[in-house]
Amino acid sequence: MKNFKIWKNTTALDDYSEGLNFTKDKDKADIILLGSKSININQFPYLKAIFRVGVGKDNVPFKECEDKQIYIEFPSKRSTNILFEETSNYTVSLVLRMLYTSPEISLPWKKNPRRSLEKKTALIIGTGNIGSRVKHKLSQLMQVVSYDITENEAEELESLIKQADVISIHIPNMPLNDNFMDKKKLSWMKNEAVLINTARANLVNEEDLYLAISKGKIRAAFDVFWNEPYSGKLTTFYPDSFYMSPHIASSSADFFLGCRNDLDKMIQNLMK
């Protein structure tokens, strides 16, 4: 295992790297440990394989790897199921955090009545591996509707957005979906509605979201950002109107351990 030199652009497995041989020199790398950022495999003349730490495929150079006979491996089904579960659980936690805002503790205590959670409506946009789990989990707590391009007509989306108290996005990251939530769709959101994003930041137009929040119309909670670590203009609204977490929705020790085991198996196969 030590014979293979690994170049990485992710810190995901830093605590699970015992026995691995890393290099910062691209021209010496046999394996790439790939995070969510893009790479140019022409900079890796001796590359044999790529291990993607995650399930996103938008930054994986499939065609170039096929041409160069470079092996590509993703986490196993067992590992990805952990990722899907943890990401959906974390998404639900953001929903609850934003709907159950913490009141200011001062004397005398002021207790403002709230609308029951079961009376509120969540809209899940995209019902794939993670979205479907979020839909199921939230349905135990509140009213849930969903929109998926494979199941709904495009003209249905406006009415679904207008009725939702909270919207969670889980659509694929592809050029077609860039800025999916733009000024127009954000304007459909009811006053004080919440937008949740644990998928990809570019699914939401940053400037349009900033304007919507600055008007006091909506709030949002994001775990993904246009540039990471994020220091953009939306930070001015943290933590009440724009809650942020540092891209940790899938950061489970069990998932990382699963990925390390999957990486070891890939290396063993390369050694045959």
Side-chain angles (χ1 to χ4, degrees):
M1 193 174 296
K2 292 184 179 180
N3 293 329
F4 289 102
K5 293 182 174 62
I6 302 174
W7 182 91
K8 63 185 178 72
N9 69 352
T10 175
T11 61
L13 298 188
D14 281 4
D15 293 333
Y16 309 88
S17 60
E18 183 177 354
L20 298 178
N21 184 17
F22 289 99
T23 180
K24 294 183 179 180
D25 296 325
K26 295 178 180 179
D27 58 357
K28 293 181 180 179
D30 301 296
I31 297 171
I32 292 176
L33 200 57
L34 183 64
S36 59
K37 296 179 180 179
S38 298
I39 53 169
N40 178 0
I41 64 170
N42 293 321
Q43 298 175 342
F44 300 84
Y46 301 106
L47 191 64
K48 297 177 177 63
I50 294 174
F51 184 85
R52 172 69 170 96
V53 188
V55 295
K57 298 182 178 180
D58 51 291
N59 67 324
V60 180
F62 289 102
K63 182 62 169 62
E64 294 90 337
C65 288
E66 181 181 359
D67 293 342
K68 295 176 179 291
Q69 296 184 316
I70 295 170
Y71 183 70
I72 299 173
E73 185 66 82
F74 285 84
S76 64
K77 183 176 181 180
R78 181 181 182 281
S79 298
T80 55
N81 279 335
I82 295 171
L83 180 147
F84 295 150
E85 276 297 300
E86 278 303 300
T87 303
S88 61
N89 287 337
Y90 188 79
T91 301
V92 171
S93 79
L94 289 181
V95 170
L96 294 177
R97 189 209 177 277
M98 298 304 288
L99 293 183
Y100 284 118
T101 54
S102 299
E104 180 181 345
I105 299 297
S106 58
L107 295 177
W109 281 5
K110 185 178 181 181
K111 303 178 182 180
N112 294 321
R114 62 175 181 269
R115 188 162 149 243
S116 299
L117 191 64
E118 66 178 0
K119 300 294 185 182
K120 295 188 177 182
T121 298
L123 168 61
I124 311 303
I125 300 181
T127 54
N129 288 306
I130 296 174
S132 61
R133 284 171 166 81
V134 175
K135 180 179 179 180
H136 172 72
K137 295 173 192 296
L138 283 178
S139 67
Q140 313 302 308
L141 305 172
M142 56 197 301
Q143 304 298 311
V144 178
V145 294
S146 62
Y147 175 87
D148 193 290
I149 196 168
T150 64
E151 301 174 358
N152 301 86
E153 299 296 331
E155 55 269 21
E156 297 178 54
L157 183 58
E158 181 175 356
S159 63
L160 290 171
I161 289 178
K162 286 182 175 179
Q163 68 178 282
D165 297 288
V166 58
I167 299 171
S168 190
I169 310 173
H170 303 280
I171 57 178
N173 183 31
M174 58 179 65
L176 179 66
N177 288 334
D178 280 349
N179 299 310
F180 178 85
M181 289 298 292
D182 55 10
K183 182 179 181 180
K184 183 177 182 180
K185 292 187 182 73
L186 291 170
S187 72
W188 293 341
M189 292 178 65
K190 63 165 63 174
N191 290 338
E192 300 184 0
V194 178
L195 179 65
I196 307 291
N197 190 359
T198 58
R200 286 288 190 272
N202 58 285
L203 301 176
V204 181
N205 184 284
E206 182 180 13
E207 181 63 27
D208 292 345
L209 180 62
Y210 176 84
L211 291 174
I213 293 177
S214 66
K215 294 176 182 178
K217 177 177 173 59
I218 65 172
R219 296 180 296 133
F222 275 44
D223 183 58
V224 288
F225 305 93
W226 301 267
N227 292 292
E228 298 183 2
Y230 183 68
S231 59
K233 61 199 310 182
L234 284 159
T235 58
T236 59
F237 301 124
Y238 177 83
D240 297 326
S241 298
F242 185 68
Y243 182 76
M244 303 182 296
S245 58
H247 205 152
I248 57 172
S250 62
S251 294
S252 155
D254 297 294
F255 172 65
F256 294 143
L257 283 170
C259 284
R260 174 57 200 269
N261 290 333
D262 298 335
L263 174 63
D264 289 347
K265 290 177 182 178
M266 185 192 80
I267 293 176
Q268 290 169 4
N269 288 333
L270 291 174
M271 294 174 68
K272 293 179 180 179

